[in-house]
Amino acid sequence: GGKKLGLFRRGVFVFHSESESDILMDFCIHSMLRGGRNLVDECLDKERAAFAEEEIEALQALQAARYAVLMVREVEPGYGAYCVDVTTPGSEPFFLADRFLSTTATSSGMTLATRIVPVDDFYMTGGAGMPIVEETAADVLAALAKWLRDSFATWLRDGMCPPRTRMEDAELAAFMVPLLLRHRSSSRIAYGDPKDDQEELLAALEREARTDSLQDTQFADAPDGSEPYRRGPKVGRNDPCPCGSGLKYKKCCGKNA
């Protein structure tokens, strides 16, 4: 999985942000297939007797999860948003329950790529989504449109889109996730309590983006066949954090280092 996403290089996992480990985990669970089946399928087949009824229902919902590129149509503050899946021609708006999204998607038109899980008559996110930000949206959506034309030309021509197979869904994720990682969409993800003030969450996103930009200038891939090397001064644990928060590095971005 790491090799497919470009996160495993010369025997080492290389993450630009903590969210990329979650993205890798989601991809490995759902989109790395053996015999057309993913880890959720195998878990239910081999371990069903070990699960309670509620756990089986949750795993069955994960079996029906699919990768999607969503455009927000209307926000329901505190609950989620109504979205359409742009990878599905003629997609009808559906409700996506995500309280955190409802505080950050301040207007319609926001686009994000994520795995969605059906629950009754609405969907939930898989927890490893990436936003498609305004400055890269044109390039990302153009690349997606070309990929869809090349992959599902007959469906698009006939205006039909039957449910994607497990393999087709895995192919969509294998295309979109590396594309968004190259555009550093993972640096636009921040972790916080949904009850936090929206301005604090947006500030966290900005600090994450600045830190990611700094890392890009400090690290570079050496020529093929050699180890990556480091450029620039090392940040001490008691030095001011380079993200600009005003805190010491060990109390901010270096807390988990």
Side-chain angles (χ1 to χ4, degrees), residues 1-255:
K3 289 181 179 179
K4 279 195 172 185
L5 301 185
L7 297 173
F8 190 75
R9 307 170 190 170
R10 294 190 290 278
V12 178
F13 282 104
V14 181
F15 298 122
H16 291 87
S17 68
E18 63 177 309
S19 62
E20 291 185 358
S21 60
D22 297 330
I23 292 165
L24 173 62
M25 182 70 71
D26 176 85
F27 183 81
C28 289
I29 290 172
H30 293 278
S31 300
M32 291 298 293
L33 308 183
R34 290 189 294 187
R37 302 171 66 75
N38 64 22
L39 286 179
V40 180
D41 298 324
E42 293 186 7
C43 183
L44 270 172
D45 283 350
K46 297 177 180 179
E47 306 292 339
R48 180 182 290 264
F51 296 114
E53 182 178 350
E54 295 82 0
E55 293 172 322
I56 292 176
E57 291 177 356
L59 286 169
Q60 288 173 335
L62 288 175
Q63 273 189 309
R66 60 185 174 88
Y67 201 79
V69 179
L70 307 178
M71 183 172 290
V72 174
R73 293 301 193 198
E74 182 181 353
V75 176
E76 288 286 342
Y79 297 97
Y82 288 93
C83 306
V84 292
D85 182 2
V86 301
T87 69
T88 306
S91 172
E92 293 292 329
F94 57 86
F95 187 72
L96 183 69
D98 189 312
R99 191 172 182 182
F100 184 78
L101 175 65
S102 76
T103 66
T104 54
T106 55
S107 63
S108 63
M110 175 183 175
T111 309
L112 69 153
T114 187
R115 197 171 306 278
I116 55 176
V117 183
V119 181
D120 297 327
D121 58 349
F122 63 93
Y123 285 84
M124 297 179 65
T125 57
M130 287 184 282
I132 301 174
V133 296
E134 184 176 356
E135 53 264 36
T136 63
D139 291 340
V140 170
L141 295 178
L144 172 62
K146 182 180 184 305
W147 186 86
L148 289 171
R149 285 195 301 270
D150 294 343
S151 303
F152 304 109
T154 302
W155 291 0
L156 295 174
R157 185 189 64 226
D158 296 339
M160 300 171 57
C161 192
R164 287 192 294 267
T165 65
R166 178 81 80 230
M167 181 64 71
E168 289 166 344
D169 192 76
E171 290 173 353
L172 172 61
F175 172 77
M176 282 301 300
V177 176
L179 175 64
L180 292 173
L181 290 176
R182 290 195 297 273
H183 282 84
R184 292 290 188 266
S185 291
S186 60
S187 68
R188 301 304 182 111
I189 302 170
Y191 295 93
D193 191 308
K195 296 179 182 178
D196 287 346
D197 182 80
Q198 181 180 350
E199 291 184 1
E200 293 181 4
L201 295 175
L202 294 177
L205 288 171
E206 292 175 0
R207 289 197 300 271
E208 183 77 17
R210 287 197 296 270
T211 301
D212 182 73
S213 177
L214 179 67
Q215 288 174 341
D216 284 345
T217 63
Q218 288 181 329
F219 291 89
D221 286 336
D224 290 343
S226 60
E227 291 298 318
Y229 63 93
R230 183 184 182 109
R231 290 202 301 247
K234 181 179 179 180
V235 179
R237 289 180 56 77
N238 290 311
D239 293 340
C241 187
C243 76
S245 66
L247 300 174
K248 290 184 178 180
Y249 179 67
K250 67 180 180 181
K251 295 290 187 180
C252 191
C253 296
K255 183 165 57 176

